[in-house]
Every structure is written in structure tokens, then in C-alpha cells.
């Protein structure tokens, strides 16, 4: 359960309890029964979302006796909370108090139970009944209308559904527009452009309106009317500001034009999709479409390869890189050749990858060669050609002593020596790895390992010096908190409390609630305290209370798009 949901739950359940005796106008109020211990406990559980526990409390409190009506309603809430809608139906279906208690809450829950059990006819009748018994202002009326409109539209009763939407026109947050948008989206999926067109007239809220542009073309497309879909998509371009939307539409236009044997128009559309600069699904579709038509420009082939690689379409990307290599020839970029080789290695095409990597390793290019050698080492290891690995590592150490790839080679050598108990050799290799690339992950881990070797040998000043050297190189690195703590620990063991306190002060200031801050308290024998200034509870501002209530309504109605828009 996320924070927003918890806030909504807290706001929703902070009002009158179910046994408050409030009933619809003109009906006698139900006299509340005394608040038994199980009732208090169940109310707390419901408020916190512990629905199963609330259920158990209520059933335990009612053993041997019939539960009072307000307790039965609480039990229905608990069963609904953890999804046992059959139990909700059993509790409420024949309850004579269902329409009176809690502003007709029981009638609403019964309708929900029928809906969750896929009994659309019973759910429709139950929602209509609830709307006749719920007093004006009941918190579930809006959710009931939304769910009822959805059921009516699904049953083909569009006029009645639109009447329910019209009843929502005065509701806040543009709820009527969001409901119409959802129903239009469903109609578009079913290929019903006429239904979509009718519903579009009801979508007037600015937040929902910006999302309706694709409904008509998608309805034509799903209705297998490609010609009208193509025209509609082409017309929609004049309304779109987002690059991602334009790219997606251009990719769709390209596909539709290609289906119509208009390859020149398809090529233009696919190029336009790539020219938007948008990445992701649209770029992939455009790249696949262009490859199917044929590409003779190396720059375009490279753009396609990178788009496909970014989308993890490995085999498609390999083909695009191969096309790029063929078109570019000797002018192919080393970075593209390296990406191609790594993809080949990913697919275990080891010899093809090794051929490219070997040629790259011979270049005079500090930006490419270290990674190429590292990848070639991994390929040769995977092939079991260990005799080729050592000279490659030696070349890497000789030519690039300060590369991150060099730090990784030295770290793995040190790690092997460490595992075999050769601590002096491991310490020397860890020191070289840390010196090669102190701010990288392997370089930082080498510093931590080297410091611990000094600690196991009782060389505490030397250990502290290693940790502080790391902090000077990477004050905000991945191992900063660990290095600060162990530097302080080592200075304490070395009999240097002033130096230790300086490091502990840094840790308390920069990471006051971290794991190592807790360990610091243990180290000094002081109680750990979270440094939070005293404050008074902040009242919920009215705009937030209103917003959270609207989010609760959209959650209860299953209106996901509106909920997301409100949350944002």
C-alpha cells in the first residue's frame, strides 16, 4: 500500500463510524449499540487496512450470538477489503438494514459484490437501487454512477450510460470527462468509431481532452478500415505537441502506407518518426519498417541499430549493425563496431565477436581499446582459451594503467589471491587496483578490502590511511559511509580518539540515519538518536483533503486515468 493510498484511507475513515445512526432523510435512524471491545479493535483494523484481522475480531466477538447490524456492515467492509466478495454478498443480500445504515453503504457494497462476481445484470440493478436510497452527498454516489455508466455501456445501453455521465457534469475534477474517455477508449478497442464520436462530445475537461486525439483513428484501425484510419492519423498530427506522440503516429502512418504498397510514403513516415528524436517503441517500429523497405544510407542504418539496441531487440540490432558495417566500410565508427561485437558476444557468437574486438584492440584509441580488450578477455574465457587471457591482461595493464578496466583486472586477481589466503599478494594487487581507478566500483571495493587486510594484521593507522585516501578521491562514492566508519574504528584502535571523533562527526552530519550511523552509536557506547527537531502536527490543508477525497472516489470507481491525473 503506497503513501497516497494510506493518506486516502486515513482521510476516508476519519469521519463518522458506521454505527453513528445517520440514515437517509425521512427514515428513522438506527440506534447504535454499545461499543464492545471487538468493535473498537475492528474499527482500528479497518482504518489501517488490516481487513483480515478486522474480520477475525468481529467473528470472535460474535461467537454464539448474532452480530448487530452495524457489526455486520463492518464485517462486510472487512470481507470486501481483502476481496472475498462472495462473503460480502452473503452478508448483505437479505439484510433488512442494508439501505439504512451508513448512508446506504451496504447497498453499494452489494452492488460491488455482484460486479466483482461478473454478474453484470444484478450489479446494474443494485447500483440503480443504491442511487435511489443513498442520501444526497453520500460519499459513494459518484463512484456508483461511474461504475453504473461502465456497466450500461458494456451492455450496449449507450444512451443510459451517457445519461449517467451527464449526471456527473457538476462533479469536481472533470469526472464526467474521464468516464467518457474511458468508455470511448473501450469503444475504440472494439472498433466502434460511431460510439467513440458520440462520447468525444462529453470529453471537455482539459486534462482528459488532451488524451482523446487517438481514439477515432484507433477505432477505425481496430474496425479494419485502414483507409479511414490512415486519414485520421494524418489529421491528428496537427494537434500533437509531444515528440513521443508524433513519433508513434508517424510510425503507424508508415505501417499503414506500407500495407497500401506506398513504399515511398512509408519511408518518409518512418524517417519522420526517427527525426522526432523520440526513443522507445516508436523508434523500434520505424527501424524495423525501414529495414523491411531497404536502407542504403550508413547514417540511417546506424540510427536504426542504436534504436533497436536501446530497446533490447538484440537480433534485430545485430542485423542493423551488420548493414551499417557493410554500407560504411572502412569508415565505420569504432564505437559502433564495439557495440556490434558486444551484441554478438551476448548471443554467444564468440568468433565473430572476437574478430571485431581483436581489430579494435589494435587501434590507437584510448576511448575504445580498454573496453574492447576487456570484452575480448571475457570472450576468450568463455571459450576456455585461458592461454589467450594472460597476454591480453598484460597488454591492458601496460597500455592503460589508469583505466577502469585495468582496475577490474587487478581486483579479480587480488580477489583470487585473497580467497587462497595469499594476503600479501592480495594487498599489493588491491593497492594497484585502487590506485588505477579509485572512484570506480572495483577501485573502491579494492580500497575497502585493502583496509580490512590491514585491520586483520593489527595495522590500524595503515588501515585508517587507506580509508581516508578513498574518501579524498571519492567523498560521495559508493563506499563513503563504510570508509568513514572504518576509518574512525581504526583510529580508535590505534589510540587516536580525536581523529576518530572527527570521522564520526562527519558520518553523523552527512548520513545521520544510515546503517553506519547506527553502528557509530554502538561504537561510542552512546544511545542512537534520530536528529529530528521537535514539531507540532501539521493540519491537513483543505485543498489536500479535497484532493485526497477525489482520489478515493476514483479509486473506488476503478477510474485509473483520473486517479493518476489527480495524484500528479
Amino acid at each position: 500500500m503506497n503513501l497516497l493510498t494510506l493518506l486516502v484511507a486515513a482521510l476516508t475513515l476519519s469521519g463518522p463510524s458506521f454505527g453513528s445512526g445517520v440514515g437517509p432523510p425521512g427514515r428513522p435512524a438506527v440506534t447504535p449499540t454499545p461499543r464492545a471491545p471487538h468493535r473498537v479493535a475492528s474499527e482500528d483494523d479497518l482504518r489501517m487496512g488490516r481487513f483480515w484481522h478486522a474480520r477475525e475480531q468481529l467473528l470472535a466477538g460474535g461467537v454464539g450470538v448474532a452480530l448487530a447490524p452495524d457489526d455486520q456492515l463492518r464485517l462486510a467492509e472487512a470481507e470486501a477489503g481483502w476481496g472475498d466478495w462472495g462473503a460480502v454478498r452473503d452478508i448483505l443480500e437479505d439484510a433488512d438494514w442494508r439501505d439504512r445504515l451508513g448512508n446506504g453503504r451496504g447497498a453499494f457494497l452489494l452492488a460491488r459484490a455482484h460486479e466483482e462476481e461478473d454478474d453484470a445484470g444484478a450489479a446494474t440493478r443494485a447500483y440503480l437501487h443504491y442511487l435511489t436510497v443513498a442520501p444526497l452527498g453520500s460519499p459513494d454516489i459518484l463512484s456508483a454512477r461511474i461504475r453504473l455508466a461502465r456497466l450500461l455501456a458494456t451492455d450496449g445501453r449507450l444512451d443510459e450510460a451517457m445519461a449517467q455521465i451527464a449526471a456527473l457534469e457538476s462533479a469536481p475534477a472533470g469526472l464526467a470527462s474521464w468516464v467518457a474517455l474511458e468508455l470511448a477508449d473501450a469503444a475504440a478497442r472494439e472498433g466502434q468509431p460511431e460510439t467513440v464520436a458520440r462520447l468525444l462530445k462529453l470529453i471537455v475537461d482539459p486534462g482528459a481532452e488532451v488524451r482523446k486525439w487517438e481514439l477515432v483513428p484507433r477505432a477505425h484501425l481496430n474496425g479494419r478500415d485502414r483507409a479511414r484510419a490512415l486519414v485520421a492519423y494524418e489529421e491528428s498530427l496537427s494537434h500533437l505537441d509531444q515528440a513521443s506522440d508524433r513519433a508513434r503516429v508517424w510510425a503507424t502512418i508508415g505501417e499503414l502506407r506500407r500495407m497500401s504498397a506506398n513504399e515511398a510514403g512509408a519511408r518518409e513516415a518512418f524517417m519522420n518518426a526517427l527525426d522526432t528524436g523520440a526513443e522507445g517503441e516508436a523508434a523500434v517500429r520505424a527501424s524495423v519498417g525501414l529495414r523491411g523497405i531497404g536502407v542504403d544510407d550508413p547514417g540511417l542504418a546506424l540510427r536504426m541499430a542504436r534504436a533497436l539496441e536501446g530497446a533490447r531487440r538484440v537480433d534485430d540490432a545485430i542485423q542493423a549493425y551488420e548493414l551499417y558495417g557493410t554500407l560504411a566500410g572502412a569508415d565505420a565508427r569504432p564505437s559502433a563496431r564495439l557495440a556490434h561485437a558486444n551484441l554478438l558476444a551476448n548471443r554467444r557468437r564468440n568468433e565473430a565477436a572476437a574478430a571485431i574486438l581483436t581489430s579494435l584492440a589494435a587501434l590507437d584509441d584510448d576511448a575504445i581499446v580498454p573496453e574492447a580488450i576487456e570484452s575480448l578477455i571475457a570472450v576468450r574465457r568463455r571459450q576456455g582459451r585461458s592461454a589467450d587471457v594472460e597476454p591480453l591482461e598484460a597488454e591492458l595493464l601496460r597500455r592503460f594503467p589508469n583505466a577502469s578496466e585495468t582496475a577490474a583486472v587487478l581486483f579479480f586477481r587480488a580477489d583470487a589471491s585473497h580467497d587462497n589466503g595469499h594476503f600479501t599478494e592480495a594487498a599489493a594487487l588491491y593497492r594497484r587496483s585502487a590506485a588505477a581507478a579509485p572512484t570506480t566500483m572495483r577501485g573502491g571495493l579494492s580500497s575497502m578490502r585493502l583496509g580490512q587486510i590491514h585491520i586483520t594484521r593489527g595495522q590500524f593507522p595503515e588501515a585508517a590511511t587507506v580509508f581516508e585516501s578513498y574518501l579524498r578521491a571519492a567523498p560521495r562514492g559508493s563506499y563513503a559511509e563504510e570508509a568513514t566508519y572504518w576509518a574512525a574504528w581504526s583510529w580508535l584502535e590505534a589510540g587516536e580518539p580525536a581523529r576518530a571523533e572527527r570521522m564520526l562527526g562527519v558520518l553523523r552530519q552527512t548520513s545521520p540515519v544510515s546503517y553506519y550511523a547506527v553502528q557509530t552509536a554502538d561504537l561510542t557506547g552512546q544511545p542512537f538518536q534520530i536528529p529530528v527537531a521537535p514539531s507540532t502536527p501539521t493540519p491537513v490543508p483543505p485543498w489536500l483533503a479535497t484532493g485526497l477525497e477525489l482520489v478515493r472516489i476514483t479509486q473506488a470507481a476503478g477510474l485509473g486515468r483520473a486517479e493518476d491525473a489527480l495524484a500528479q
Side-chain angles (χ1 to χ4, degrees):
M1 187 178 291
N2 60 32
L3 179 59
L4 180 62
T5 302
L6 288 170
L7 286 168
V8 173
L11 182 67
T12 304
L13 295 170
S14 61
S17 67
F18 296 122
S20 61
V22 177
R27 291 193 179 94
V30 177
T31 304
T33 54
R35 288 166 55 84
H38 70 270
R39 182 176 306 156
V40 175
S42 66
E43 286 177 356
D44 291 340
D45 284 331
L46 287 171
R47 188 176 297 111
M48 291 184 288
R50 299 173 61 190
F51 301 111
W52 173 262
H53 201 260
R55 171 189 186 276
E56 295 298 291
Q57 290 279 355
L58 287 161
L59 291 177
V63 170
V65 295
L67 285 174
D70 52 358
D71 280 346
Q72 291 186 55
L73 183 54
R74 285 189 185 84
L75 182 59
E77 289 280 4
E79 301 285 20
W82 76 284
D84 190 347
W85 292 102
V88 174
R89 174 177 40 76
D90 290 343
I91 295 167
L92 297 173
E93 198 158 34
D94 298 320
D96 57 5
W97 46 263
R98 183 183 61 223
D99 297 345
R100 302 193 306 274
L101 276 181
N103 293 331
R105 176 69 174 171
F108 176 77
L109 286 176
L110 179 60
R112 280 294 313 276
H114 287 311
E115 184 182 3
E116 293 292 338
E117 293 186 314
D118 295 325
D119 190 343
T124 300
R125 292 189 295 273
Y127 281 125
L128 286 168
H129 174 74
Y130 165 74
L131 291 172
T132 66
V133 300
L136 191 66
S138 294
D140 294 316
I141 286 180
L142 295 178
S143 300
R145 285 201 187 281
I146 293 168
R147 288 185 172 276
L148 178 58
R150 187 184 294 125
L151 287 166
L152 290 168
T154 303
D155 194 35
R157 298 157 66 179
L158 185 61
D159 289 337
E160 294 175 72
M162 292 178 72
Q164 293 298 327
I165 297 173
L168 293 166
E169 285 181 354
S170 61
L175 286 179
S177 292
W178 288 105
V179 178
L181 179 66
E182 180 191 299
L183 299 185
D185 186 64
R189 287 197 301 272
E190 295 297 321
Q192 300 170 354
E194 295 81 8
T195 300
V196 170
R198 291 185 63 189
L199 289 165
L200 288 185
K201 298 174 183 177
L202 302 179
I203 305 174
V204 295
D205 178 77
E209 196 172 23
V210 298
R211 308 179 188 214
K212 71 181 186 180
W213 62 267
E214 196 179 8
L215 295 175
V216 169
R218 190 148 52 84
H220 285 305
L221 190 61
N222 290 333
R224 301 184 184 279
D225 190 341
R226 293 175 184 167
R228 288 190 177 182
L230 177 57
V231 171
Y233 273 116
E234 289 172 339
E235 290 175 347
S236 72
L237 285 166
S238 61
H239 307 300
L240 302 179
D241 297 322
Q242 296 291 327
S244 59
D245 289 337
R246 294 182 65 81
R248 188 153 53 85
V249 170
W250 276 122
T252 303
I253 290 172
E255 291 163 349
L256 290 171
R257 286 177 178 174
R258 191 178 177 201
M259 291 176 190
S260 302
N262 180 4
E263 289 205 347
R267 182 186 297 276
E268 177 192 29
F270 290 138
M271 291 289 292
N272 287 339
L274 290 178
D275 286 340
T276 63
E279 299 177 349
E281 174 253 353
V284 170
R285 289 166 58 198
S287 299
V288 171
L290 284 167
R291 196 185 71 204
I293 294 172
V295 172
D296 57 9
D297 175 47
L300 178 57
L302 182 57
R303 290 170 64 189
M304 292 163 47
R306 287 179 171 161
L308 292 164
E309 181 184 10
R312 300 185 180 181
R313 298 278 293 267
V314 175
D315 294 323
D316 289 327
I318 287 173
Q319 292 182 27
Y321 275 120
E322 288 171 351
L323 175 61
Y324 166 70
T326 300
L327 295 173
D331 295 327
R333 298 181 186 181
S335 59
R337 295 171 62 201
L338 178 60
H340 183 198
N342 285 332
L343 290 175
L344 289 168
N346 176 279
R347 283 292 186 256
R348 296 297 191 265
R349 294 169 60 179
N350 294 318
E351 280 306 322
I356 299 174
L357 294 170
T358 299
S359 64
L360 290 172
L363 298 176
D364 184 17
D365 187 340
D366 291 1
I368 292 293
V369 176
E371 185 180 347
I373 295 176
E374 183 181 44
S375 295
L376 184 55
I377 289 170
V379 168
R380 293 310 189 200
R381 279 207 176 100
R382 192 159 51 242
Q383 291 178 303
R385 294 172 57 170
S386 55
D388 294 333
V389 170
E390 188 170 342
L392 288 170
E393 289 184 342
E395 181 182 2
L396 185 60
L397 298 177
R398 176 180 58 81
R399 292 177 61 186
F400 306 99
N402 298 115
S404 60
E405 293 82 2
T406 298
V409 168
L410 292 167
F411 170 82
F412 286 118
R413 287 183 176 183
D415 186 58
S417 297
H418 203 161
D419 287 345
N420 291 324
H422 302 150
F423 299 118
T424 299
E425 181 181 334
L429 290 167
Y430 282 137
R431 186 175 291 106
R432 289 176 61 191
S433 175
T439 62
T440 65
M441 185 185 73
R442 300 299 183 195
L445 185 53
S446 293
S447 292
M448 300 305 103
R449 296 274 186 88
L450 177 58
Q452 292 298 332
I453 288 176
H454 282 306
I455 286 174
T456 59
R457 291 175 166 177
Q459 298 168 339
F460 303 119
E462 290 84 349
T465 300
V466 169
F467 295 126
E468 290 185 347
S469 294
Y470 171 78
L471 289 168
R472 283 192 294 273
R476 293 179 179 81
S478 301
Y479 300 99
E481 293 172 6
E482 180 179 347
T484 304
Y485 172 81
W486 284 108
W489 189 96
S490 299
W491 283 128
L492 279 177
E493 292 295 316
E496 297 278 1
R499 288 186 170 184
E501 181 54 38
R502 180 175 63 82
M503 300 306 296
L504 294 175
V506 169
L507 187 57
R508 284 192 289 262
Q509 182 177 2
T510 58
S511 306
V513 293
S514 67
Y515 166 80
Y516 284 104
V518 177
Q519 295 302 306
T520 293
D522 210 30
L523 186 63
T524 57
Q526 300 173 352
F528 173 71
Q529 294 180 328
I530 298 177
V532 178
S535 63
T536 55
T538 302
V540 177
W543 65 266
L544 179 58
T546 300
L548 290 176
E549 172 61 13
L550 288 170
V551 171
R552 183 200 68 78
I553 290 169
T554 56
Q555 285 179 337
L559 205 58
R561 285 181 171 180
E563 181 187 341
D564 290 343
L566 283 164
Q568 290 169 15

